[in-house]
């Protein structure tokens, strides 16, 4: 696979994950299929782990990167109790071994699932897992931070939230030079929310967004082919952008991505290259979401240079991002064709200026907000009404996410 990829101009990313049962803690087992056990090795086997990482770097010197584990913040990929400190210890060992063998090889840490709920049996939220990684000394032991910001629905709030949470934790740890690698993102067409056209429109938009982010080093779409070993009703089946039968049939998403990347590939007749989402109003909604996220990103940069959000104005946002208007928002304007989503409503609250809310309204039917809480987390909210309603609902927890 490695040789075939290089022959086609593809530099793969390899992931180091799972461990043989002789490296597990005594008494660990799982049923019914031991091959699905996903325990990490114990510290007693750190030398074997380091040697394994070194040999991968030696055997495959032209990889784009080596990623350490996959989604260690959820039990699906880390049996025996999710443990950011043990993961960080393994990351540091792998990083040292890989760099000793091949100093130019990029080592990726995190590979975080975008779980954002309360910590518990379902895992540790990506933001808190990464913060604990940094507290355990991850800085300087990874060239990039990888994450999997899958959209939760037709809107893009979860994609943006995962990136904003990661950047906030990374920057607060003094590691802003670490690049972001989006090593998985995708949408399933067998999942109830997405049609073939939704998948095409959203993935091509995500690609365009990522290309415009200076700190994003890589983007991997999950996945190329629908896996024929799964039933077609399984939600994991529909992530593919090509159908394996008959004869590798591209879905609209494959054609849209080929066009977005400037490929010379031409889609077969009858497959739409740039289809829109199922609902035309979704495009102006996405436009407004993109601009309110731009405002939140600009506000983060303002805070980094000023120490807080205190004194932040619309003119400051416009100076930091030319897509944003220098005119303040009309807080009572209803969404609709006459709305201007580049005009941003700004509220800076107590807690020494560490508490921010930004909102806008779309040219469709919704107003959007992003709330930067004092603890560094971010909350998205929206309302089918004016900015004031969306703002109050977001702060009060009574609105829908985007």
């Amino acid at each position: 696979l490695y040789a075939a990829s290089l022959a086609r101009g593809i530099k793969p990313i390899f992931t180091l994950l799972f461990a043989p049962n002789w490296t597990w803690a005594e008494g660990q087992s799982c049923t019914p299929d031991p091959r699905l056990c996903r325990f990490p090795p114990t510290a007693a086997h750190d030398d074997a782990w380091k040697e394994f990482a070194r040999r991968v770097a030696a055997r495959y010197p032209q990889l784009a990167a080596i990623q350490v584990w996959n989604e260690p913040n959820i039990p699906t990929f880390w049996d025996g109790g999710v443990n950011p400190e043990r993961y960080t210890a393994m990351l540091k060992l792998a990083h040292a071994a890989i760099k000793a063998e091949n100093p130019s090889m990029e080592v990726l840490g995190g590979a975080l699932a975008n779980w954002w709920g309360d910590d518990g049996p379902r895992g540790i939220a990506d933001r808190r897992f990464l913060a604990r990684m940094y507290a355990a000394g991850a800085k300087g032991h990874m060239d990039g931070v990888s994450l999997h910001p899958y959209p939760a629905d037709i809107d893009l709030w979860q994609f943006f939230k995962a990136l904003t949470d990661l950047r906030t934790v990374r920057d607060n740890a003094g590691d802003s030079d670490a690049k972001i690698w989006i090593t998985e993102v995708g949408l399933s067409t067998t999942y109830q929310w997405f049609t073939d056209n939704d998948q095409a429109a959203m993935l091509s938009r995500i690609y365009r967004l990522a290309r415009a982010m200076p700190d994003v080093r890589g983007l991997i779409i999950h996945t190329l082919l629908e896996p024929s070993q799964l039933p077609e009703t399984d939600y994991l089946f529909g992530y593919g952008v090509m159908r394996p039968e008959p004869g590798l049939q591209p879905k609209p998403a494959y054609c849209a991505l080929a066009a977005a990347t400037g490929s010379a590939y031409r889609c077969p007749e009858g497959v739409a290259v740039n289809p829109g989402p199922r609902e035309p109003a979704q495009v102006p909604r996405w436009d407004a979401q993109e601009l309110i996220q731009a405002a939140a990103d600009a506000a983060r940069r303002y805070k980094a240079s000023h120490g807080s959000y205190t004194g932040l104005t619309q003119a400051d946002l416009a100076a930091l991002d030319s897509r944003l208007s220098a005119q303040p928002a009309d807080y009572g304007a209803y969404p609709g064709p006459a709305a201007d989503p580049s005009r941003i409503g700004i509220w800076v609250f107590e807690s020494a200026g560490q508490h921010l809310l930004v909102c806008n309204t779309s040219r469709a039917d919704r107003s959007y907000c992003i709330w930067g809480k004092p603890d560094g987390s971010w909350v998205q909210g929206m309302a089918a009404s004016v900015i004031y309603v969306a703002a109050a609902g977001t702060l009060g927890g009574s609105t829908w996410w985007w």
Side-chain angles (χ1 to χ4, degrees):
L1 288 171
Y2 172 77
S5 295
L6 293 181
R8 288 163 175 78
I10 298 169
K11 295 182 70 174
I13 298 172
F14 278 6
T15 301
L16 313 182
L17 74 166
F18 310 152
N21 58 8
W22 54 266
T23 71
W24 302 347
E26 186 175 351
Q28 285 182 326
S29 63
C30 60
T31 55
D33 187 347
R35 292 172 301 176
L36 298 180
C37 293
R38 291 165 175 176
F39 293 104
T42 64
H45 297 284
D46 280 350
D47 286 345
W49 167 250
K50 287 192 297 183
E51 179 61 9
F52 172 61
R54 185 197 68 78
R55 290 194 189 193
V56 171
R59 185 178 176 92
Y60 306 106
Q62 297 184 65
L63 294 173
I66 295 176
Q67 178 174 266
V68 179
W69 219 263
N70 179 71
E71 301 189 346
N73 60 316
I74 58 173
T76 306
F77 292 98
W78 187 287
D79 280 321
V82 171
N83 188 332
E85 290 72 30
R86 175 58 185 157
Y87 171 75
T88 303
M90 290 175 58
L91 171 65
K92 293 163 76 172
L93 292 167
H95 179 269
I98 292 165
K99 292 295 187 179
E101 181 65 40
N102 186 345
S104 65
M105 181 67 69
E106 297 203 48
V107 179
L108 310 184
L112 299 166
N114 59 337
W115 169 245
W116 51 271
D118 294 333
D119 299 344
R122 296 181 66 181
I124 295 177
D126 47 7
R127 178 178 66 87
R128 291 188 287 275
F129 190 95
L130 183 61
R132 287 175 62 177
M133 282 176 57
Y134 277 117
K139 181 182 176 183
H141 299 281
M142 52 185 178
D143 301 296
V145 187
S146 54
L147 79 163
H148 303 162
Y150 285 92
D153 51 43
I154 194 69
D155 287 315
L156 292 171
W157 68 271
Q158 189 155 301
F159 174 78
F160 284 130
K161 175 178 172 55
L163 287 164
T164 308
D165 281 347
L166 182 152
R167 288 183 174 116
T168 300
V169 174
R170 178 199 65 180
D171 296 351
N172 288 345
D175 200 23
S176 56
D177 289 338
K179 296 296 186 183
I180 295 172
W181 292 66
I182 300 171
T183 50
E184 284 185 36
V185 68
L187 302 105
S188 174
T189 56
T190 52
Y191 209 35
Q192 60 180 334
W193 290 316
F194 305 120
T195 66
D196 280 7
N197 286 359
D198 291 339
Q199 184 192 48
M202 292 182 73
L203 286 182
S204 57
R205 192 171 188 110
I206 285 170
Y207 173 81
R208 180 179 62 77
L209 288 167
R211 281 295 299 266
M213 296 174 180
D215 61 349
V216 172
R217 179 88 166 85
L219 172 71
I220 307 295
I221 301 296
H222 179 79
T223 186
L224 179 63
L225 288 173
E226 292 177 335
S228 56
Q229 71 270 27
L230 293 176
E232 294 188 9
T233 54
D234 191 313
Y235 84 97
L236 291 172
F237 179 88
Y239 280 101
V241 296
M242 296 189 84
R243 296 187 171 92
E245 300 295 341
L248 297 181
Q249 294 295 310
K251 294 162 71 173
Y254 187 90
C255 298
L257 287 166
T261 59
S263 167
Y265 176 83
R266 295 293 176 265
C267 269
E269 187 176 347
V271 180
V273 175
N274 285 307
R278 75 190 91 169
E279 190 176 349
Q282 192 60 45
V283 173
R285 291 173 190 155
W286 285 337
D287 291 343
Q289 292 167 17
E290 187 174 334
L291 288 169
I292 197 60
Q293 182 62 44
D297 290 338
R300 286 182 58 256
R301 295 197 295 275
Y302 178 93
K303 181 182 177 227
S305 61
H306 290 75
S308 76
Y309 299 114
T310 302
L312 176 67
T313 67
Q314 179 72 45
D316 294 320
L317 294 181
L320 289 162
D321 192 318
S322 61
R323 293 173 294 175
L324 303 175
S325 171
Q327 288 185 283
D330 180 351
Y331 297 92
Y334 277 87
D340 183 355
S342 72
R343 296 173 63 177
I344 310 298
I346 303 169
W347 289 265
V348 177
F349 299 99
E350 300 172 356
S351 304
Q354 304 299 305
H355 188 183
L356 170 80
L357 181 72
V358 289
C359 301
N360 71 352
T361 193
S362 75
R363 292 193 174 103
D365 53 356
R366 297 172 185 172
S367 295
Y368 296 97
C369 295
I370 300 180
W371 176 21
K373 300 173 69 176
D375 65 359
S377 63
W378 296 82
V379 174
Q380 284 78 6
M382 69 88 181
S385 186
V386 300
I387 286 177
Y388 275 129
V389 174
T394 301
L395 292 172
S398 63
T399 72
W400 289 99
W401 295 295
W402 301 355

